[in-house]
Structures are given as C-alpha cells and as structure tokens.
Amino acid sequence: MKIRHSALVAALSVSALAVAGCSGSASGDEASDTGPFRVLVTGAISGQGSLAANAQTSILAAKAGAEQINKSGGIGGRQVELTVTDDGGDATKAVSNLRDAVNSGKKPDLYLNSGPSTVSAATLPILKQNKILSFNVGPTADSSDPGQFPLNFDLSPSPTEYAVSIARYAKSKGYQQVGVIHGSSAYGEAFGKSMESTLSDEGVSQSGTEEYDVAALDMSAQLQALKNKGTQALVVDAYGAPLGYLLSSLERLDWNIPLIGNTSVSGTALVAKPAPDVALGTRAASNLVMQVFPSTVYDPADTTVNTMVNSMAAMGSIPSTLILADNYDPFGLVAAAADKVGSTSDPQKLAEALEDQQVLDDAATAFLPRYHYTSESHAPNLGDDGYRFVPPSKLLNGQYGNPAA
C-alpha cells in the first residue's frame, strides 16, 4: 500500500537522533509476569484526511483486539492495559511519545504503530535498544529482518509479497502484455520494481512500467505511453487523490482496459463512493478489481472476522477499509506465544515462539487468516489464500461486498 508505506529516507535521521536520546529502559522497571500487560499503540489521531481515518481504524482494531483477548483471560493470565498516543503521523512526535513511555517506569510490554513507515523507521531502533516486543503496520526496508530487529514483526506484507499475488492473479486470468503504473513514493517505486520481477517469474509478458508524480493532477502521458505499447491489462498503484486523477485520465483517453489495483487502491475510499463526485459507477472503476485480504470482504459465515468487525463497530465508526485493521491480531499472536513459553516476561522467548508455525496456527487472528513468521523472516509471508480480488462496491463497516451497504 500503501498508506502504511510512505517515504523512508526522512525517518532515518530521526531514528539516529532517537537512539542517541534514549539509553535503555528506565531504572527499576523490571519485566514481570504479574500486573497488567501494558500495550502502547500510536497513531495519527490529529492527522488530516485519510491519515486520521486510517489511524482511527487502526486504533479501533487495537481496542477490539484488547477487548477480545481480555474476555479470553488476557495474555499469560495478565489483562491487557491499552494506552493510545497521538503522533500526528510525525516520526519525531512518535519518538518523543515512546521515549516518555520508556522513561515513565511503566515500559510497555508491547508496542503497536498505525503507520506510516516513517514512524516505524524512527521508533524501531528505540524498541530494539529497550527490548520491547513490537508489531509493525508500516514496513521498512529492514523491519522484517530478524538480524536487524529480532523483536519486531511486520503485520503488513511487503511490496514484493503484494506483487507476487498480483502477478499470479494476472497469470490466472491469462493476461499478457501487462503494464504497470505506480506513484513516485518510496512504496510505489518498490512496488513497481517488484512487479517487473514477479511478472517475469510467473511467465507473464510485460508491456512496460510508468511512474507518475504523486502530486500530479493528470497521468495521461504515462497512460498513453503504456497504451501505445499494446498493454492489454494494467496494474495500478495509487492511493487517495492520485487514484481519482488516474481514473479520470483513463476516461479522457477513452481507454477501456482491465485494471488490477493493489491494496493502495482498495484502501482508498473514493472507489466505494458513487459518481459523479467520485469513482464508483464510472467505466474505469467498472473495469477494476482490487487486491484485498479476506477480512476486507463481507462473509456472513466468517464468525471470527465478524466478531472483530462487530467489536470495532461497537466502539465507534470504522472510517476506512479493514485493510487498516492489522492491529487486531497481535493480541492473539502474543497470547499464543505466551502459552507456548509459559511466561510473558521475556520478550526474546516470546519472539522465538512467534517463529514456531504451530504457535501461529494456534493463534486467534482475524485480520489475516494465518501468519508465517520464521527465524529468517518476520514478514507475514501470506500464501495465495491470504488475498482476494474484488470489484469496487460501497463499504459497510470497512468491508466490501455487503449487500446491506
């Protein structure tokens, strides 16, 4: 996506400063198997537009996850105590909030973020230094590398994981001469490169790749270039306003072509709202299928997902798609790890347990059906059953395809 994958470079300098300003956990704050299990979740509550909406959905998911695990006895017998902090989407503010928590004498047992990746890049070194278990919504280039961050686990797949799924979908549809258009963000560039290699690996011929400036209001030139190359299906990376401009550019070119949108597209609310103000019902949108997770699609028979959705909705409006509900799952994952270890006081042992596939299979998760963390990779490593491709529709409680919407 996506929302969670913004430019990484700006955060690197913040990370270096953060490490220098935070030297270990507060004195006297020893890990224990008694008392509340402290969880700190950060998000852009005071952000603008989609940033705030995404943070609200992420935090609702964390609250629902904490509520459900507490009903089941907590984590290792400890009730979860959830603290929410507002970082405004600002990495410097996230660093300050985390430092305050570490130095307060109540160091969190678990840290969750709500993205973007600049926040991840800034906070991961502090979390590592203070030996805090963490789950990450906004992956960075090395956040899933256990050699760099042994106590961190990515909740969102990497650009390459998303690209593999899309390439396999394109192959299943018999598409050839597939083109790719992506934004100039760090995530868009990484996704574009991954699509080139994964299409080739799947034996799907490519017509070309085009990049657009995320501040641009028109993508006609890039689309015309792909059209001239004989593109027969188009993979699209676009989030927020750029998606609207891209779909409008397709309409102006009168280009009627199958579109495959990544999770940046499915995480953009405008595809769920009707024309003429936005996209739903336009010809370009009618040619579109979007990559989502199973939990993003309404299924009346999926009681596990429906429990998550109902719990979130009872706490407040779900303003964005459930693509952003990652933070529901860490509670079930850590609880399963604690059951394996027999303790909650050693984050390293909990992390090692999360590399055990039986523990992951036993974990009560809903956002994703199953995780596949290993000692070599702390990315979720989804299989093909972890994705769906669906047309745009109105949203209800963050899900596509609900007939009541």
Side-chain angles (χ1 to χ4, degrees):
M1 202 171 348
K2 85 197 197 189
I3 4 175
R4 48 185 108 212
H5 301 290
S6 58
L8 309 180
V9 176
L12 298 181
S13 59
V14 178
S15 300
L17 291 172
V19 173
C22 190
S23 56
S25 59
S27 60
D29 184 23
E30 299 298 331
S32 172
D33 278 320
T34 62
F37 188 88
R38 293 189 289 263
V39 180
L40 180 65
V41 58
T42 185
I45 299 169
S46 61
Q48 299 297 312
S50 59
L51 188 63
N54 295 335
Q56 183 178 345
T57 298
S58 175
I59 289 167
L60 275 176
K63 290 179 177 179
E67 178 183 73
Q68 292 303 312
I69 206 67
N70 281 341
K71 287 180 179 179
S72 300
I75 295 177
R78 299 166 65 190
Q79 289 285 288
V80 170
E81 180 182 273
L82 187 69
T83 300
V84 177
T85 61
D86 179 15
D87 58 42
D90 184 322
T92 302
K93 179 62 174 174
V95 164
S96 178
N97 290 344
L98 176 56
R99 184 184 299 137
D100 288 346
V102 168
N103 293 329
S104 69
K106 294 183 178 181
K107 186 177 77 171
D109 297 290
L110 177 65
Y111 182 85
L112 311 174
N113 71 32
S114 302
S117 56
T118 47
V119 169
S120 305
T123 55
L124 280 170
I126 301 174
L127 295 165
K128 178 181 179 179
Q129 185 177 36
N130 288 277
K131 299 180 181 178
I132 299 172
L133 188 68
S134 64
F135 285 84
N136 180 30
V137 167
T140 70
D142 54 6
S143 58
S144 65
D145 179 0
Q148 293 294 316
F149 299 108
L151 300 183
N152 181 71
F153 295 83
D154 285 351
L155 293 166
S156 172
S158 68
T160 298
E161 285 188 73
Y162 287 125
V164 168
S165 168
I166 290 175
R168 289 176 177 169
Y169 175 81
K171 182 179 181 179
S172 75
K173 301 296 289 185
Y175 293 144
Q176 294 295 327
Q177 295 304 312
V178 174
V180 179
I181 185 165
H182 64 84
S184 59
S185 66
Y187 175 77
E189 292 174 354
F191 175 77
K193 290 179 181 178
S194 294
M195 279 307 315
E196 291 183 21
S197 60
T198 55
L199 285 169
S200 177
D201 290 344
E202 292 297 324
V204 178
S205 59
Q206 306 167 56
S207 58
T209 300
E210 292 287 332
E211 178 177 306
Y212 63 85
D213 188 327
V214 293
L217 305 182
D218 189 296
M219 292 79 170
S220 297
Q222 292 90 338
L223 291 168
Q224 186 66 62
L226 289 167
K227 186 178 182 180
N228 292 345
K229 292 176 180 178
T231 300
Q232 298 171 359
L234 184 62
V235 176
V236 175
D237 162 71
Y239 176 71
L243 176 60
Y245 298 135
L246 192 150
L247 294 176
S248 297
S249 298
L250 281 166
E251 295 277 2
R252 283 193 293 274
L253 288 177
D254 195 28
W255 193 12
N256 191 23
I257 185 173
L259 305 174
I260 309 170
N262 66 4
T263 52
S264 294
V265 173
S266 60
T268 298
L270 70 86
V271 297
K273 298 178 181 179
D277 297 323
V278 277
L280 191 60
T282 64
R283 188 178 71 176
S286 68
N287 290 328
L288 174 66
V289 295
M290 308 174 296
Q291 182 184 44
V292 297
F293 303 122
S295 60
T296 324
V297 184
Y298 175 69
D299 179 357
D302 194 333
T303 56
T304 301
V305 172
N306 292 335
T307 296
M308 175 183 75
V309 174
N310 292 338
S311 180
M312 290 176 64
M315 295 176 177
S317 173
I318 302 174
S320 63
T321 72
L322 289 188
I323 285 285
L324 275 301
D326 314 55
N327 277 328
Y328 182 87
D329 283 354
F331 301 93
L333 289 164
V334 177
D339 288 345
K340 167 75 172 181
V341 173
S343 169
T344 58
S345 61
D346 189 331
Q348 183 60 49
K349 288 183 178 178
L350 291 174
E352 291 170 358
L354 287 167
E355 298 168 349
D356 182 333
Q357 190 58 53
Q358 186 60 58
V359 169
L360 299 172
D361 290 344
D362 291 342
T365 63
F367 172 71
L368 295 182
R370 186 168 289 105
Y371 293 78
H372 300 282
Y373 300 128
T374 69
S375 58
E376 289 77 37
S377 172
H378 285 182
N381 298 306
L382 297 184
D384 288 344
D385 64 344
Y387 301 96
R388 301 283 187 274
F389 289 86
V390 300
S393 67
K394 292 181 180 179
L395 287 172
L396 181 62
N397 287 334
Q399 292 180 303
Y400 292 104
N402 191 325

